[in-house]
Amino acid sequence: MLGFQPATITQSAEKVGLAKGSYSYHVRLLERAGLVKVVRTRKVRGVTERHVRMAHLRLAEEQFAGLGARLEALADEYRELSDPSLPDASLVFAPFHPAARGQRAGDAK
């Protein structure tokens, strides 16, 4: 749903049938993991409304594999720069590539 256009917590929660508080909690977890990004905020009746989005890419198999390798190399590069005197920070990335049409379980060929 967020792959194509930003949406507010309220809009998204209504679309998936969840309470705003529950949906907001899960979006914060995805945001901390770097899977969604807040692209705009505004105050609505004293509450900060956040518009979030998710990165959506269309890549060939080789490009997808290359992206994973580049992310691993970047994490390794920064791991080597780590300063033990600084507070811990975590980097989470989870490239997800669903099976192509016709390869999904139950699809007719």
Side-chain angles (χ1 to χ4, degrees):
M1 177 174 55
L2 296 174
F4 299 102
Q5 66 182 8
T8 66
I9 299 297
T10 301
Q11 292 167 334
S12 300
E14 287 174 359
K15 283 184 182 180
V16 297
L18 291 174
K20 280 193 309 185
S22 178
Y23 191 85
S24 180
Y25 168 79
H26 288 93
V27 167
R28 278 193 307 274
L29 292 177
L30 292 170
E31 184 183 357
R32 282 187 216 136
L35 299 174
V36 297
K37 178 181 177 185
V38 175
V39 294
R40 184 177 54 190
T41 61
R42 70 179 181 146
K43 287 283 188 187
V44 177
R45 292 185 292 274
V47 175
T48 301
E49 181 180 80
R50 297 179 304 151
H51 293 249
V52 295
R53 74 167 182 86
M54 181 173 167
H56 180 75
L57 309 170
R58 293 182 184 267
L59 303 173
E61 291 291 334
E62 305 80 41
Q63 292 171 313
F64 186 77
L67 174 61
R70 288 177 65 188
L71 291 171
E72 289 284 346
L74 186 61
D76 290 342
E77 177 185 334
Y78 277 86
R79 190 176 297 112
E80 290 174 15
L81 297 173
S82 290
D83 180 344
S85 69
L86 297 174
D88 284 344
S90 296
L91 169 67
V92 177
F93 55 91
F96 173 72
H97 194 224
R101 283 194 178 109
Q103 294 178 342
R104 293 184 185 130
D107 279 357
K109 294 189 179 193

